[in-house]
Amino acid sequence: MKIILSLMVGLSIGLSTVQGQNNAVSGTIKDAETNLPLPGVTVFIPELSRGTVSDEQGWFSVGNLPSRNLTFQFSFLGYATELSKVNPSRQEYPLEMAMESATTTVDEVVVSGVYVMGRESSPISIEKVNRGAILKNPAPSLMTALAKTPGVSEVSLGPGISKPVIRGLSFSRVLSVYQGARFENQQWGADHGLGLTETGLSGVEIIKGPASIIYGSGAMAGVVNLIEDPDAASGEIAGDVNLRMYGNSLGRRLETGVKGAGEKGFFWSVRGAAESHADYLDGSGKTVGNTRFNTENIKAGLGLRKNWGDTRLRYTYLKQELGILDENNQELLVTSRNDRSPQLPFQQVADHFLNSETNLFLGEDKIKATFGYHWNFREETEEDFDQVDLGLRQTNFMYDIKYYKSLNKDTETIFGIQGFYLNTNNDVNAAEILIPDATKDDRSAYALINYANAKWVLQGGIRYDYRKVTADASGANFIDYGFELPGLPEDRMLSRSFDGLTASGGATFRPSDKWRFRLNVASGFRAPDLAELYSNGPHPGTARFERGSAGFEREQNIQSDLGIRYRSADFSLSLEGFYNVVNNYIYFAPTEEKVGDLTVWSFEQDNARLFGGEAFLELHPAAVPWLSGNTSYSIVIGRRQSDQSYLPYIPAFRWNQDLNLSLNSIGKLLNPYVNLTGSLVLDQNRPAPLEDATPGYYLLGVHLGSGFQIWQQEMNVFVSANNVLNTNYLDHMSLYRPFGINQIGRNISLNLQVKF
């Protein structure tokens, strides 16, 4: 309550200064070597999610800006991205920005650490995957495209169902953030994927390490933050159409959207996508039955931006129909090559997400308020098309209110409150029950501080969280089914509360353009999810009977990260290491017990340690500007403390290679490129108890593309071939691995993009 009152006081004090804010920033952008103007440079202000493009004389201008420090990002193909901090109220002359030629991005803005800054300056390890990279090397699942990032992998159940793994931690330890709010879609289930697509995104940022101090429970391993496409510039209407086809699964994806903005501050956008895949073929040419899936995605938004700030309202609808492989009837599930119709077993998932974001500028300060309401409907059907075996309905109201207080030109603090109220209910007509009805009530308060000058960035923060989980099995459907809560409470209800403090501190030191040193120590936490606490039933689609334990304590970790980077004109080398101490780590393991034909899997708890890191070498020879490449090596090892046995589902060591040829325009071919990728996955010979070792494999990829100008419209064509050698392999992180089901074979995709 005190924090809310403080925010209201700050609002009332600042309102008198708001109306006077009507600042503009303008300037010219030139080539650093030739001093010639650069037209077409993208000027982006991430704090406002808007920007502009330089004209033929290299001139740009952005108006209606607040009187506070803003980050301007200047990006242009073939040039190093430039960042500049500007306070519009203090700009007395046009900016003069000189951009240097480069084949790789030296730095770029990230927003996932709450403070907007360059990725190289952040004490938190943040990786960024831009939309361009996803288009050039696409995958049927968004998470599969992101899993090429060093230190990041995926747990998958076929090409349509996957979820993120960050440095060996996965499931509900990785938080998804969508449109600035947490996205809860029951990721506790092994067969429950990330559930989000690339539709309307400008990119994805991945925090590698505990981010509970910023995002709360579920971010103890890190965060996958989906960044929305920027708003349209004033007076602009722009759109695009994307058509993609996959050869292996006969997949097809159509996405189109348009956005616009008026001169008086009103802006809007609408976008839709549909995707369909048949069953995939493994490296031997064998069809893997019932791996087909279909998705539909619609999103729309509108907003208003003025000199006092901006506000926007967004709506997203996502529908998924996902086949589930039945290892006992695999041959029976193989139908005709192009068959996309649902067959048993399968799951249907629908999400509705309503979100609002408001930024109110109060002189040098700012208030940011984010509210969201999420409906998630999940049905898993196993026996009969007319019967729902597992049906879950979930609603979630979330809020996050931050007050940014500028102390001086180098120091800014944030005070915030955050929370959500989540309600999960079983479909009363469902044939099976896995978890009880339940509510989660999360409340938290936090404070962060950031100091940044030319060489140093210092960050720190502290947070308090409280969560109450109430399970309710008193409904007639639970009594009739025979579902029991642990301890058999008379009123058939149980409550658990979890609370505690988390803290973090980090520093980045950049003594010169060549060297960067980064150190971060952070604690994270995760309260046990509903399945871990209260599950007691069969889980359709997984061939398991799952059993939780209501006595689990919350997971708590402390992770230290150390990063060093050296950069010269021809190459850069970075080394990242981490050591993660996780107390009360919850893991899933099979038992000797059977319920009917199903093996009982139970959740267990033990202390754990994870450690490893990533090495990244980037080559960009100044004498050969059209040639660049990089290679990375990532490792992670996880052990239980009690007996030093290995943790389950820890990814194998991986060595990635990437070679790029970026050519000048040739006739009608605009900026053509050729890209070769390789990934050597080593033997995973550190299996957990009752887990088998997995042999290594090598995957080769070839990708090429170019831009065109047709009928005064811009078109891009991308051709991508993954697993060119048609390797037949098992992935240690695949949930198909225990059944000997191989991964997808050679897959050639064609992507056409038309902008208008």
Side-chain angles (χ1 to χ4, degrees), residues 410-450:
D410 296 326
T411 310
E412 185 177 44
T413 60
I414 298 176
F415 303 96
I417 58 173
Q418 190 180 79
F420 65 87
Y421 187 83
L422 185 147
N423 190 13
T424 300
N425 290 288
N426 283 264
D427 185 340
V428 295
N429 296 316
E432 297 173 347
I433 297 176
L434 173 62
I435 60 174
D437 294 347
T439 59
K440 290 183 186 178
D441 187 0
D442 261 40
R443 306 173 192 181
S444 60
Y446 56 93
L448 307 167
I449 188 167
N450 183 78

Side-chain angles (χ1 to χ4, degrees), residues 573-756:
L573 174 65
S574 63
L575 301 173
E576 301 274 349
F578 72 93
Y579 188 80
N580 192 0
V581 178
V582 186
N583 292 327
N584 303 317
Y585 182 88
I586 300 173
Y587 59 94
F588 208 23
T591 69
E592 300 295 331
E593 185 182 352
K594 288 270 192 178
V595 175
D597 296 330
L598 302 178
T599 298
V600 174
W601 284 61
S602 66
F603 290 97
E604 301 178 25
Q605 195 164 49
D606 195 357
N607 295 334
R609 302 290 184 267
L610 296 97
F611 54 93
E614 303 90 39
F616 189 82
L617 173 64
E618 188 176 24
L619 301 173
H620 38 78
V624 192
W626 48 268
L627 178 67
S628 64
N630 63 71
T631 183
S632 65
Y633 190 74
S634 44
I635 66 173
V636 59
I637 296 174
R639 291 182 180 271
R640 303 176 192 170
Q641 278 295 96
S642 60
D643 59 6
Q644 290 301 303
S645 62
Y646 292 107
L647 295 175
Y649 282 100
I650 297 296
F653 297 176
R654 188 176 68 191
W655 177 29
N656 288 343
Q657 312 92 42
D658 198 301
L659 180 65
N660 300 286
L661 286 78
S662 302
L663 308 177
N664 293 325
S665 297
I666 306 172
K668 294 185 178 181
L669 298 180
L670 306 178
N671 303 307
Y673 71 89
V674 178
N675 171 238
L676 301 177
T677 61
S679 183
L680 175 63
V681 179
L682 279 67
D683 297 345
Q684 171 41 303
N685 50 19
R686 297 166 303 281
L690 302 177
E691 187 180 60
D692 294 328
T694 308
Y697 52 89
Y698 184 76
L699 301 178
L700 176 67
V702 179
H703 321 279
L704 52 92
S706 178
F708 299 88
Q709 196 78 21
I710 300 179
W711 301 308
Q712 297 184 336
Q713 298 293 333
E714 181 182 346
M715 173 184 286
N716 293 302
V717 179
F718 310 106
V719 179
S720 178
N722 286 297
N723 193 4
V724 172
L725 303 178
N726 211 22
T727 302
N728 202 26
Y729 68 99
L730 291 172
D731 183 359
H732 190 78
M733 304 300 289
S734 171
L735 296 172
Y736 288 169
R737 174 185 50 80
F739 313 121
I741 304 297
N742 291 306
Q743 298 297 103
I744 191 169
R746 183 186 299 115
N747 193 15
I748 300 175
S749 63
L750 171 66
N751 195 101
L752 305 177
Q753 181 188 56
V754 179
K755 297 181 179 180
F756 55 87

Side-chain angles (χ1 to χ4, degrees), residues 11 15 18 308-310 358-362 365-369:
L11 174 60
L15 281 176
V18 169
W308 48 261
D310 57 69
T358 300
N359 294 288
L360 181 62
F361 297 104
L362 311 171
D365 301 340
K366 181 179 80 167
I367 292 177
K368 182 180 180 67

Side-chain angles (χ1 to χ4, degrees), residues 46-49 111 177-182 215 225-229 231 267 302-305 308-315 353-360 366-372 398 400-402 404:
E47 290 98 330
L48 308 178
S49 188
V111 300
V177 175
Y178 180 65
Q179 297 178 349
R182 62 187 298 137
Y215 297 99
N225 188 7
L226 285 75
I227 310 299
E228 287 292 299
D229 192 45
D231 301 325
F267 58 92
L302 54 87
L304 182 68
R305 56 184 179 230
W308 48 261
D310 57 69
T311 186
R312 53 182 54 80
L313 182 68
R314 301 185 180 105
Y315 168 74
F353 192 79
L354 186 64
N355 167 271
S356 75
E357 280 187 292
T358 300
N359 294 288
L360 181 62
K366 181 179 80 167
I367 292 177
K368 182 180 180 67
T370 303
F371 300 94
M398 64 214 75
D400 186 3
I401 303 173
K402 301 183 182 77
Y404 295 74

Side-chain angles (χ1 to χ4, degrees), residues 25 34 38 107 148 152 199 223 232 286 435 493 607 664 676-677 682 716 740:
V25 170
T34 65
L38 288 176
D107 201 4
K148 302 175 178 69
V152 180
T199 307
V223 171
K286 177 183 177 181
I435 60 174
M493 297 183 68
N607 295 334
N664 293 325
L676 301 177
T677 61
L682 279 67
N716 293 302

Side-chain angles (χ1 to χ4, degrees), residues 56 65 140 147 169 228 241-242 245 282 320 332 340 349 383 428 432 508 527 599 618 660 665 670 688:
E56 292 296 326
L65 301 177
L169 295 178
E228 287 292 299
V241 177
N242 293 270
M245 293 170 284
D282 68 12
Q320 303 172 82
L332 297 177
R340 301 164 192 271
V349 185
E383 300 295 337
V428 295
E432 297 173 347
T508 299
T599 298
E618 188 176 24
N660 300 286
S665 297
L670 306 178

Side-chain angles (χ1 to χ4, degrees), residues 523-534:
S523 61
F525 78 97
R526 184 183 71 93
D529 60 42
L530 293 179
E532 293 165 341
L533 288 172
Y534 302 122

Side-chain angles (χ1 to χ4, degrees), residues 467-523:
R467 169 179 287 187
K468 183 178 181 180
V469 182
T470 302
D472 183 355
S474 62
N477 55 324
F478 294 96
I479 297 173
D480 294 340
Y481 184 77
F483 184 90
E484 297 289 353
L485 290 171
L488 305 178
E490 187 175 342
D491 61 355
R492 301 182 64 84
M493 297 183 68
L494 278 178
S495 290
R496 288 291 312 277
S497 296
F498 306 90
D499 70 330
L501 293 171
T502 50
S504 69
T508 299
F509 178 48
R510 302 177 70 178
S512 67
D513 290 338
K514 291 186 176 181
W515 288 97
R516 186 263 292 149
F517 302 90
R518 176 167 56 206
L519 174 66
N520 190 66
V521 179
S523 61

